[in-house]
Every structure is written in structure tokens, then in C-alpha cells.
Amino acid sequence: MDVMGDKATLYETGRFAQPARSAVAGDEADAVADEAAEEVRRRLAAESGDVEAMSVLGSMLLRRGDLDGAEPHLRAATAAGDRAAANNLGVLLHQRGYADEAAGWWRIAAVAGSAAAAHALGRHFRERGDEPAAEYWLRQSAEQGHTLGAYALADLLEHRGDATAERWMRAAAERGHREAAYRLARALDRRAGTATGTDAESAAHEAEQWYRQAAARGHRRAALHLGAILEKRGELKEAGRWYLTSAKDGETRAACALGFLLRDAGDTESAAVWWLRAAQEGDGNAANALGALHAERGETQTAERWYRAAMDAGDDNGAYNLGLLCAEQGRTAQAEQWYRRAAYAGHREAANALAILLLQGGDRTGAEPWFSKAAEAGSVDAAFNLGILHAGRGEDAAALRWYERAAAAGHTEAALQVGMARLRDGDESEAERYLRCAAGGGSAEAAYRLATLLDARRPPAPAHELGEPAHEKTECEEWYERAATQGHRRAQVRVGMLAAARGDAVEAARWYRAAAEAGSRNGAFNLGLLLAREGSEPEAAVWWTRAADAGHGRAALRLALVCARRGELAEGQRWADRAASLGPAEVAGRAARLRDALREELSA
């Protein structure tokens, strides 16, 4: 029992003052001397029959651990009706191992109105499994304002699932009980997680206040949770202070969290110190972090050792990370072994990685169940991969279901696939919704397809001549530009065309050139047109040649016309033949006529 540690128990009568304490060594010595003098005075008074002195002297000796010296004084004071002595006599007997006799004296003191004795008696009955009696005495203690009694009653009621537990937990917390403050904060935290709106905000705010109170009183887990709240809110400096406080008090999770905070701030050396401290205390997350740090440095043997330590600490990420390490080194068999170990333990990303490994090895049958297991466990990547698997077999409906599931969880490429499927089905409204999600997530293809969808809806823009003022950009053009900036070649060509339509030849040339240099034959063709319009036909011919070699029929026809004007009839006929074979139909017809004309000219 912790009754002895409760100063309200030993000094509950309030009949003498506690000796003042000071941080100065001389003052501490004076306090010890004062306490010794006080003991002498109490002993003299007790010997003369002073009941109060007997009680106080007994409590002083009990606190010091002198049970033999304390017992006769406490028994004498108890016999004279002193309830504080009866309570402390119960404490003494409990420490000697006479629990039933201790309970008898606590009962006497509790009946006489001792809240501390009622608390001790309630604890005694709870340890014996007599919950009704425990509740009765703890309630007596709590209702008299005893902090430990309120906390013990709250603990008992919470164990039963009684809704009134929070009232007493709050009462204990308000009186300074740090564990009560922490547990009240945890309850409010859970409530915030299930509530909505202002109720959730209110519960979260109050939880933070109780975490602060508990942490300020030295509760290391409260300091950890407070640090996490502050980190999530972006208040990293204060979060770090609480993590440091908690870590110094021995909370390994705080040491690990502090390590991540330092790593994100760029201080990997300090991060490693805290991770090492936490890992040596058995924190698997810290061991994994150390493994990753050494793996990044190329120290694979050390990384493997820490991953194994994480695994030994019960962290399945250790096996998964070992699998990743082996896969990077080309040790496929070992990678499969570690992936399987983590996957069988329920690690969803390991199950997905295992399925990918099997698929790469040609085992589609073996891969699918692991994809399914990972996807059902919530792996977004696995759901997307299942979509690819079904699509490859032509099972479009099944593929779409998995793509939709992954898209709902924020998978960008899955949202693109759903958007394209909706476009094929003619459901433009749904297609737009999914394409916006994918484009917003960074997919250049989605941004391009969204732009083409919006482009098809807008009314035709008035024609512009070069040099005319440019009109304001539309939303579709903004999406084209986003895709173009990400290197999407067709988007680059389209942005160039829109710029040319606005009369901005410099901007048009910039985008055409970017697309052409990336391998776009349309970009090369359009750049050639722009250069030819500006009088740079030799450079235009270079880009048309690149486009024609890539299969662009119009570029081949343009080259044939250039050669014809230069009198290079054989070369012109060759390009005309090329244009006629490439098409499209209109180009093929014109190229055939030009080819025949050039042939006649050569024959003449």
C-alpha cells in the first residue's frame, strides 16, 4: 500500500507543522536538527502522558522506518482514542504483514472519521476481492475530500464500467493527483476520437490541459502524449522539450519520438543517440530507425543487426525491413523469407511486397492471395496492385472495384484509372471527380486528361493573330500547364498550341521545343512550323526530319515539299513515299500526287 507515502495520513490532525525544506545544504542540516529537537520534545511529552505527543512521535518514527519504536507509542495513543494513531497503527501492522489486524484498526479510525483510514480500508477490501465493501469505504473517503480515496474509487468504478468513474477521477485530478490527471486526459482523448464537431474539439482541448497538469507533476507518459499533441500541431520546439523531459524520466517511446524529431530537424547524430537509448531498452521502433539510418549510410551489417533487434523486441517491421534490405542486395530468397515472416504476423505492407516478389518471379497464382490479404488489411498499394492484376486478365469489373477502393483511400494512380474508366463509360461527371483527385495528387496524366475533358466543353475561342493581346487563361489551360510542367509531352504540345493561339510565339516555341526534345513527334512538327513561319526553314527541316523519322506523316510531306522547292527531286520523292505510307489519308493522297509529279519530272 502507498498509505505511508501520503502525508495527509501521517499529519492529518494538522496538530504540528512540517519542518521547512531548503535547497541549501546548511538549511537541510538545520531542518534535521530541528526535527531531532522536535522528536526529543515529543518524546518527553509522551512520557508524561500527552496523547497527542504519543501519536505524533509514533508517526515520526513510522515515517523513519523504526517500526519497533513507533508501535508502543501508536498503541498507547490509539487506546486513548486518537484516530490518527489508529490509522497509522494500521499502516504499521500492514507493513509487518498483519493485514487483517491492520484492517481492524483502520475500521476504528474510519468510523471515527479518518478519510485516510477509510481509503486504506477500501484498498484492503479490494485486494481481498470484496468490491462492495471496498466501494463503501472508498466512497466514504472520497466524499470527505481525500485525494487518494477519490482516485481509488474512480479506479474501482472504471474497472466495472461505471459512468460515474469520471466524476471521481476528475475530483482526484483537481486535487493534484497526477495519475488521475493522466487517466482523465486519456479518457477525454478517446472521447475526442469518437465525437464530432465542437464536442471533439472541446474534449481534445480539455485532454491537453490535463496532460499538461500531469506532465508538470512529473508524469512521464503524460509528457509523452503532450509532446505528441504539440508535434502534430506543429509546435515542435515545445514538443521536443516534453519529449526530452519524458525521455530523461525513462520513457523509451519519448526517447524514440525525440529521435525522429531531431532527425526531421537534420540532426541525425543526436537522433541516433536517443534511438540507441530507446533501442537498448527494448523499443522496436527505435531499433528500426537505427537500422534505417545505418542502411542509408551503406552499413548493411549494422542495419541488419538493428532490424533483428527490432524483430526480437516484437516489432514486425524488423522482419519487413530485413526483407527490403535483402531485396535491395538482390538476395531474393532471403527477402521472401523475411517478407513471409512479417506477412504471417499480419504486416500488410510485407504481404504486398511478398506478392510483388512472387509476381516478378512469375508466380501470379501465389501472388494474388497475398495481395488480397494485404488489401483486406488496409494496404492501399495492394488494392491498386489487385486492380492491375485483374485488368491484366481482362476482368475489368473486378479491377475497377479494387481501383475504386484504392482511390477512396487517396491512391493517385488508382483515381486516374477510375477516372479513365468513367470516361470510357461516358460518365463525365464522375470521371471529372476522380481525375481532379488524381491531378491534385500529382498525376501528370490525370491533369492532362482533366484538361482535355474541360477543353472539350468550353466554347471555341476567337482566333488570334500573332502580336494580338493574349486572352485570360482558362482552367483547362492551367491543368495543361500543370501537366506540361511535370514533363507530360502531349500537354506540352497543347500548351504550345494554346500559346500560339494567343499570339505568344516565344512561349509556344518553348513548350514545343521541350516536348520535341523529350521525343514528341508532334512537338517537333509544330516547332518546325513555327520556325518556318519565322523564316528559319533550315532549322525547321531539322525538326521535321526528327518528327518524320518518328513516324509523323505531315512532317514527311513538309520535307518532300521543301526538297521539291530546292530542286532535290530524288530526296523529295523519297520523303513523299514516306508520307504516303505514314498517312493519314489526306496526307497520303497529297503525298502520292506529289510523288507522281516528282517522278514525272525526273523522267522528263
Side-chain angles (χ1 to χ4, degrees):
M1 283 199 172
D2 56 358
V3 181
M4 267 297 297
D6 179 16
K7 292 183 181 178
T9 301
L10 299 178
Y11 300 112
E12 73 169 359
T13 60
R15 290 179 293 195
F16 67 98
Q18 299 179 49
R21 294 187 178 183
S22 171
V24 182
D27 291 344
E28 289 178 357
D30 291 342
V32 171
D34 289 344
E35 187 173 350
E38 176 69 11
E39 183 180 334
V40 170
R41 287 194 296 272
R42 293 294 182 181
R43 190 177 294 277
L44 291 172
E47 289 173 355
S48 66
D50 187 323
V51 175
E52 177 186 345
M54 293 177 195
S55 178
V56 174
L57 179 60
S59 69
M60 292 175 73
L61 295 170
L62 177 61
R63 181 177 58 193
R64 190 186 301 162
D66 185 359
L67 304 187
D68 292 335
E71 186 170 352
H73 295 293
L74 292 175
R75 284 191 181 275
T78 300
D82 190 295
R83 72 178 190 184
N87 175 54
N88 288 331
L89 180 56
V91 173
L92 185 148
L93 292 167
H94 187 272
Q95 289 189 15
R96 287 190 184 279
Y98 304 126
D100 291 334
E101 188 179 352
W105 291 112
W106 281 329
R107 184 185 293 275
I108 290 170
V111 170
S114 171
H119 164 250
L121 190 56
R123 289 280 300 273
H124 169 78
F125 281 118
R126 187 169 184 195
E127 288 172 2
R128 297 270 180 297
D130 188 350
E131 290 196 0
E135 181 181 352
Y136 174 81
W137 289 111
L138 291 175
R139 195 174 291 277
Q140 293 293 317
S141 175
E143 288 175 350
Q144 291 179 65
H146 193 273
T147 302
L148 293 175
Y151 175 70
L153 177 60
D155 184 65
L156 176 63
L157 295 172
E158 188 175 86
H159 174 70
R160 289 186 192 167
D162 192 318
T164 62
E166 186 176 317
R167 171 197 166 195
W168 293 109
M169 196 70 78
R170 189 179 295 275
E174 288 170 349
R175 293 169 192 155
H177 195 290
R178 71 180 189 182
E179 183 66 23
Y182 171 71
R183 289 178 64 173
L184 179 59
R186 294 296 294 145
L188 289 165
D189 226 350
R190 289 190 292 270
R191 186 180 304 164
T194 57
T196 55
T198 56
D199 289 341
E201 290 176 9
S202 175
H205 178 73
E206 189 179 1
E208 182 179 341
Q209 301 314 307
W210 287 115
Y211 280 135
R212 281 190 182 277
Q213 288 200 32
R217 293 188 176 100
H219 197 292
R220 69 188 192 187
R221 283 175 294 164
L224 167 66
H225 285 285
L226 180 58
I229 290 169
L230 293 165
E231 183 182 2
K232 187 176 181 181
R233 205 159 59 210
E235 298 175 21
L236 304 183
K237 191 173 182 180
E238 189 180 358
R241 286 200 301 269
W242 286 113
Y243 282 149
L244 180 61
T245 299
S246 181
K248 284 182 175 178
D249 286 339
E251 181 59 55
T252 57
R253 290 176 296 171
C256 182
L258 180 59
F260 282 111
L261 208 61
L262 290 165
R263 181 204 63 182
D264 293 342
D267 189 356
T268 54
E269 295 305 318
S270 297
V273 170
W274 287 104
W275 282 333
L276 180 61
R277 182 169 174 173
Q280 288 174 336
E281 293 297 321
D283 190 289
N285 197 21
N288 273 313
L290 279 173
L293 185 64
H294 286 289
E296 286 173 6
R297 294 172 177 173
E299 300 163 355
T300 54
Q301 288 186 337
T302 308
E304 186 169 337
R305 180 167 61 85
W306 282 114
Y307 288 148
R308 287 180 182 275
M311 193 168 55
D312 292 340
D315 193 326
D316 297 328
N317 282 315
Y320 173 58
N321 288 330
L322 276 169
L324 291 174
L325 192 66
C326 292
E328 287 173 3
Q329 296 172 339
R331 295 153 57 193
T332 307
Q334 292 93 328
E336 182 179 339
Q337 171 194 343
W338 293 118
Y339 285 150
R340 281 189 185 277
R341 178 164 178 170
Y344 277 122
H347 195 294
R348 65 189 188 189
E349 296 309 324
N352 181 57
L354 175 60
I356 292 172
L357 201 64
L358 293 171
L359 195 61
Q360 290 171 342
D363 186 1
R364 299 175 69 88
T365 305
E368 187 170 351
W370 286 111
F371 277 137
S372 296
K373 185 174 182 179
E376 294 296 346
S379 170
V380 180
D381 288 336
F384 177 66
N385 289 335
L386 269 175
I388 295 174
L389 206 62
H390 284 290
R393 295 202 295 251
E395 299 165 358
D396 294 339
L400 184 58
R401 284 197 300 272
W402 286 111
Y403 285 147
E404 286 177 333
R405 185 164 176 172
H411 196 288
T412 298
E413 289 304 312
L416 169 63
Q417 293 301 322
V418 177
M420 291 170 63
R422 295 289 181 243
L423 274 178
R424 288 192 295 270
D425 294 340
D427 188 350
E428 289 193 0
S429 175
E430 276 295 285
E432 181 180 344
R433 182 168 73 85
Y434 279 102
L435 289 174
R436 283 187 184 278
C437 289
S443 170
E445 182 65 24
Y448 172 73
R449 290 183 179 274
L450 175 61
T452 57
L453 184 64
L454 297 172
D455 204 1
R457 294 178 186 167
R458 66 174 182 159
H464 282 75
E465 296 295 333
L466 289 178
E468 284 189 2
H471 62 263
E472 186 177 346
K473 292 180 182 178
T474 61
E475 186 190 4
C476 75
E477 189 167 355
E478 289 173 358
W479 283 113
Y480 278 134
E481 285 191 2
R482 180 179 294 195
T485 304
Q486 292 175 258
H488 195 287
R489 293 183 304 181
R490 284 177 294 170
Q492 289 170 337
V493 172
R494 186 62 182 146
V495 171
M497 293 171 66
L498 291 168
R502 289 197 309 271
D504 191 344
V506 173
E507 183 74 357
R510 180 171 76 87
W511 286 112
Y512 287 151
R513 190 178 297 276
E517 289 175 348
S520 169
R521 61 188 186 184
N522 285 330
F525 175 69
N526 287 357
L527 179 59
L529 289 178
L530 204 62
L531 290 167
R533 188 183 300 175
E534 293 177 352
S536 301
E537 190 174 84
E539 188 181 355
V542 171
W543 289 106
W544 282 333
T545 301
R546 182 180 292 193
D549 287 340
H552 198 288
R554 284 189 173 85
L557 179 58
R558 287 277 176 173
L559 286 169
L561 291 168
V562 168
C563 291
R565 284 198 301 273
R566 292 175 180 172
E568 300 170 358
L569 304 184
E571 185 68 6
Q573 186 178 348
R574 185 177 72 80
W575 282 116
D577 274 335
R578 176 83 168 146
S581 64
L582 291 174
E586 176 193 354
V587 170
R590 291 179 61 193
R593 290 193 294 273
L594 178 60
R595 179 191 58 201
D596 293 343
L598 291 173
R599 184 178 296 132
E600 288 176 8
E601 187 73 20
L602 283 169
S603 302

